[in-house]
Amino acid sequence: EDQVTQSPEALRLQEGESSSLNCSYTVSGLRGLFWYRQDPGKGPEFLFTLYSAGEEKEKERLKATLTKKESFLHITAPKPEDSATYLCAVPVQGGSEKLVFGKGTKLTVNP
Amino acid sequence: KAGVTQTPRYLIKTRGQQVTLSCSPISGHRSVSWYQQTPGQGLQFLFEYFSETQRNKGNFPGRFSGRQFSNSRSEMNVSTLELGDSALYLCASSLDRLPGELFFGEGSRLTVL
């Protein structure tokens, strides 16, 4: 069964304290791994798509990387506005829009 | 460019009732997906529609149904509501050529009493 596991469940950082979030997956024939950000009371917001091991994508203070078994979301010098829940997802057999999401990492950045 | 619009944003129902939720996708997006989000299970796929046809379906009972209209707008219906159906129901639209890049609405929060 296709699975996505994210760790840690919650992470508290001080402003400027860099860290990484982990997303491990078990899926046959990976057809992309997607990162989303979700703010309280809102729907998830798309961040990145990664397709192959070794691929990296960057956006402001975020950098996503992919290996054959996991993906990391690196947050460099975070700011309080980076506080959110970060979700990763993979498409499963049967359709590209049928995504399996991890349960997310809730990131809190204190000023 | 207007985002994905979901209505209603909040609703309260009692067990046994039914509910219909509406979703207007981003203009030009023909794929519409629905997800259920709960604290315990996280985001779970309900179904996806493309050009008025259900293209994929998740592992939910038949009480959950949906449809898509010719203008790509979509509705989902839950009949015979149960307490466990309380959740945030999220609609997402996408361009078919960019799989996985979903644009979500703010959701409809359903409370079943």
Side-chain angles (χ1 to χ4, degrees), chain B residues 49-100:
Chain B
Y49 288 87
F50 182 83
S51 293
E52 302 180 67
T53 301
Q54 186 180 87
R55 195 156 67 171
N56 286 295
K57 190 176 188 305
N59 298 323
F60 279 82
R63 300 185 296 107
F64 292 81
S65 62
R67 59 178 176 168
Q68 187 180 33
F69 302 97
S70 59
N71 61 358
S72 294
R73 192 177 68 83
S74 178
E75 288 181 347
M76 69 162 282
N77 182 276
V78 188
S79 62
T80 319
L81 284 166
E82 301 177 359
L83 295 178
D85 296 334
S86 295
L88 180 67
Y89 290 88
L90 290 159
C91 168
S93 72
S94 65
L95 288 169
D96 206 41
R97 60 183 170 82
L98 293 174

Side-chain angles (χ1 to χ4, degrees), chain A residues 36 38 94 97-99 103, chain B residues 35 37 40 56-57 94 100 102:
Chain A
Y36 285 81
Q38 186 173 23
E97 304 300 6
K98 186 175 180 179
L99 300 182
K103 295 195 175 178
Chain B
Y35 287 81
Q37 187 172 34
N56 286 295
K57 190 176 188 305
S94 65
L102 304 181

Side-chain angles (χ1 to χ4, degrees), chain A:
Chain A
E1 182 181 316
D2 299 324
Q3 276 198 318
V4 178
T5 304
Q6 292 188 246
S7 62
E9 289 186 16
L11 180 63
R12 285 186 174 271
L13 299 174
Q14 288 299 123
E15 185 171 1
E17 180 186 1
S18 302
S19 188
S20 296
L21 314 181
N22 178 265
C23 170
S24 62
Y25 59 90
T26 53
V27 60
S28 54
L30 183 68
R31 294 176 293 112
L33 184 140
F34 311 99
W35 282 98
Y36 285 81
R37 166 193 171 128
Q38 186 173 23
D39 292 302
K42 302 235 172 143
E45 176 189 350
F46 171 78
L47 292 173
F48 303 110
T49 302
L50 300 166
Y51 283 110
S52 55
E55 189 175 0
E56 298 183 352
K57 293 275 181 73
E58 284 190 68
K59 181 179 181 179
E60 296 182 357
R61 295 174 293 282
L62 301 177
K63 183 169 80 172
T65 61
L66 182 65
T67 72
K68 287 187 177 180
K69 292 185 178 180
E70 57 192 348
S71 178
F72 293 93
L73 186 64
H74 308 278
I75 304 177
T76 303
K79 298 182 177 182
E81 53 262 44
D82 295 322
S83 297
T85 295
Y86 291 86
L87 300 159
C88 68
V90 297
V92 297
Q93 297 298 325
S96 57
E97 304 300 6
K98 186 175 180 179
L99 300 182
V100 171
F101 280 85
K103 295 195 175 178
T105 293
K106 184 176 180 180
L107 174 66
T108 304
V109 182
N110 296 313

